[in-house]
Amino acid sequence: MLLGVIADGFTGASDIANTLAKGRPGQGGLRTVQYLGIPDGMAAPDVEAGVIALKSRSIEAAAAVEQSLAALRWLLEQGCRQIVFKYCSTFDSTSAGNIGPVAEALAEALDVKGVVACPAFPGAGRTVYQGHLFVKDRSLNESGLQNHPLNPMTDADIRRWLRLQTTADVGHVDIGVVRQGPAEIEAALQEDAARNRTLVIVDAITDDDLVAIGRAVVSHRLVTGGSGIAIGLAANFVEHGLAVGTGAAAIGVEGPEAVLAGSCSGATREQIEVHRRNHPTFAIDVDAVMDGSITTKDVTSFLLANQGRAPLAYSSCTPDAVQAIQVRFGREKVAKALDDLFAQIAQQLVRAGIRRLVVAGGETSGAVVSALDLGALTIGAEIDPGVPVLLSGGECPIALALKSGNFGAPDFFINAVKRLAGR
């Protein structure tokens, strides 16, 4: 294994696995496998990039650090030359969150300074300019992410945000330096390292900026960022003759389908509205979940009764509604109840023969794939930017699409259902 990724969520893991597998046009990517948690045994010998998906984004920082260091140890045992710590391109974490502590712990374990921190993903509208994170034409704290139910982002200055989470000063490489090319980027990172700065925010507005950053860190043991940071990394191994540059596999399975949505993002709510015009939908009332009047059987019965029509079950609602529910029942209690519900629904659906499963929302995806315990997933073709087809192994493989809440076109759900069948 050449490159190892530690991802703090399951949708994010799929996102960066997709980036590594497809690579740059004309160059190809790496043979990539996504692991749902830390594997028990060694990786297959032909795996060039291994992505470990953790569910660590919203847990206590100390626990996130412990899990991430365990993942690092496994990846180093596989021979990885470079490690990527992948977090969300909207930098989902509170001021007391996990991104800074995990990144610092990994840097300390690898004995490195001047580590790139770049959540930019221009293909999904995420850019970094002068150390500030933007979502399309809005600063992060005005993009709707300030209303995130678990990790509200109230400051677009990610240097300032990281300084609240870390012990060392945070550096910055601005877009002017980035546009001068890889040598200048590397020189700036080395200067920050000499100043004892562990993490360095690096501006990126276009994919070409990310390619330049990727070339600059060709010899770095640790890189951190969103999935976009990996755009230029696969090519480094191909150009040095360490990888052959394969593309993502064309995979899929036929069979019954279902769509589950737990995200409350604006993009997912729009996708639900588009989907419900022509497909059966089941709105999961969270109050009813909390008082037990909606059960797993209610939802699964609806989805199974509508096989062949791309049925959708969702708990998504507006930020105001989410806040009101959290006030009534408590944020953690609501999150656990919904995670448990979606996990049990997924288990019952698969037992009943569902073979194509689309899941929207990072926490929901984590709950679903943890419950299904599918092992290593093969990375297939891209459905929408950042969302590939995933295929489990075994005699009855399951095709999955795990979508971050803010990703995907308005008609994502029906397109995903089709692509999971290889169409």
Side-chain angles (χ1 to χ4, degrees), residues 15-222:
D15 184 0
I16 196 167
N18 172 67
T19 303
L20 291 169
K22 71 178 182 179
R24 296 288 289 163
Q27 294 176 316
L30 303 178
R31 289 191 293 271
T32 305
V33 171
Q34 178 175 334
Y35 302 100
L36 306 178
I38 303 169
D40 294 328
M42 298 293 284
D46 64 340
V47 176
E48 295 172 332
V51 181
I52 294 180
L54 302 177
K55 197 173 186 289
S56 59
R57 181 176 304 166
S58 302
I59 64 177
E60 292 295 325
V65 167
E66 181 181 2
Q67 291 182 23
S68 300
L69 289 175
L72 173 65
R73 289 190 290 271
W74 185 85
L75 290 168
L76 293 178
E77 289 172 0
Q78 312 313 305
C80 288
R81 302 177 181 219
Q82 188 171 62
I83 301 296
V84 179
F85 170 39
K86 194 278 176 194
Y87 39 81
C88 187
S89 60
T90 49
F91 216 71
D92 292 5
S93 68
T94 66
S95 59
N98 299 340
I99 292 176
V102 169
E104 279 197 322
L106 295 173
E108 181 179 0
L110 294 169
D111 193 24
V112 292
K113 297 282 186 181
V115 176
V116 167
C118 181
F121 185 6
R126 280 74 160 161
T127 56
V128 180
Y129 177 69
Q130 297 301 335
H132 288 65
L133 183 54
F134 292 83
V135 178
K136 298 181 179 177
D137 63 342
R138 302 280 181 174
S139 62
L140 181 67
N141 58 306
E142 297 177 342
S143 67
L145 269 298
Q146 71 272 25
N147 299 316
H148 193 287
L150 295 178
N151 299 305
M153 292 303 298
T154 56
D155 192 348
D157 187 338
I158 50 177
R159 292 168 299 179
R160 187 160 54 211
W161 206 246
L162 264 185
R163 285 175 182 139
L164 298 173
Q165 300 180 355
T166 55
T167 58
D169 190 20
V170 179
H172 176 227
V173 178
D174 70 31
I175 193 66
V177 174
V178 172
R179 294 288 167 84
Q180 291 176 44
E184 287 74 14
I185 297 170
E186 170 65 351
L189 292 171
Q190 291 300 329
E191 183 178 340
D192 278 309
R195 294 180 178 178
N196 205 36
R197 292 169 176 164
T198 302
L199 300 176
V200 183
I201 303 300
V202 183
D203 288 354
I205 300 173
T206 68
D207 283 355
D208 287 341
D209 297 330
L210 292 169
V211 171
I213 296 168
R215 291 186 180 279
V217 300
V218 61
S219 61
H220 285 217
R221 296 199 71 197
L222 177 64

Side-chain angles (χ1 to χ4, degrees), residues 253-275:
V253 294
E254 292 285 357
E257 76 292 335
V259 183
L260 304 175
S263 168
C264 294
S265 72
T268 297
R269 296 201 313 274
E270 180 184 10
Q271 289 156 354
I272 290 168
E273 287 304 311
V274 170
H275 196 75

Side-chain angles (χ1 to χ4, degrees), residues 174-395:
D174 70 31
I175 193 66
V177 174
V178 172
R179 294 288 167 84
Q180 291 176 44
E184 287 74 14
I185 297 170
E186 170 65 351
L189 292 171
Q190 291 300 329
E191 183 178 340
D192 278 309
R195 294 180 178 178
N196 205 36
R197 292 169 176 164
T198 302
L199 300 176
V200 183
I201 303 300
V202 183
D203 288 354
I205 300 173
T206 68
D207 283 355
D208 287 341
D209 297 330
L210 292 169
V211 171
I213 296 168
R215 291 186 180 279
V217 300
V218 61
S219 61
H220 285 217
R221 296 199 71 197
L222 177 64
V223 182
T224 82
S227 64
I229 198 63
I231 285 176
L233 299 184
N236 291 336
F237 295 102
V238 175
E239 290 172 2
H240 285 80
L242 299 170
V244 297
T246 58
I251 55 177
V253 294
E254 292 285 357
E257 76 292 335
V259 183
L260 304 175
S263 168
C264 294
S265 72
T268 297
R269 296 201 313 274
E270 180 184 10
Q271 289 156 354
I272 290 168
E273 287 304 311
V274 170
H275 196 75
R276 66 188 300 179
R277 296 171 192 166
N278 299 300
H279 305 279
T281 57
F282 186 109
I284 299 172
D285 183 89
V286 181
D287 285 305
V289 174
M290 301 307 294
D291 68 20
S293 55
I294 283 184
T295 66
T296 302
K297 183 178 180 181
D298 296 327
V299 184
T300 53
S301 295
F302 172 85
L303 294 171
L304 293 172
N306 285 282
Q307 289 182 23
R309 302 173 63 197
L312 161 68
Y314 66 94
S315 64
S316 311
C317 52
T318 66
D320 288 344
V322 170
Q323 186 174 23
I325 292 166
Q326 290 176 337
V327 168
R328 284 199 297 276
F329 299 105
R331 188 180 75 171
E332 297 303 324
K333 189 174 181 180
V334 171
K336 184 179 187 306
L338 289 175
D339 280 358
D340 290 347
L341 178 72
F342 280 114
Q344 292 164 16
I345 290 169
Q347 288 175 325
Q348 291 190 15
L349 289 175
V350 170
R351 283 198 292 266
I354 292 294
R355 289 294 171 262
R356 290 179 288 158
L357 194 58
V358 180
V359 189
E363 298 300 320
T364 306
S365 294
V368 165
V369 295
S370 296
L372 294 179
D373 191 23
L374 298 175
L377 301 175
T378 302
I379 311 301
E382 188 174 57
I383 301 168
D384 266 349
V387 190
V389 173
L390 302 171
L391 189 66
S392 71
E395 295 181 0

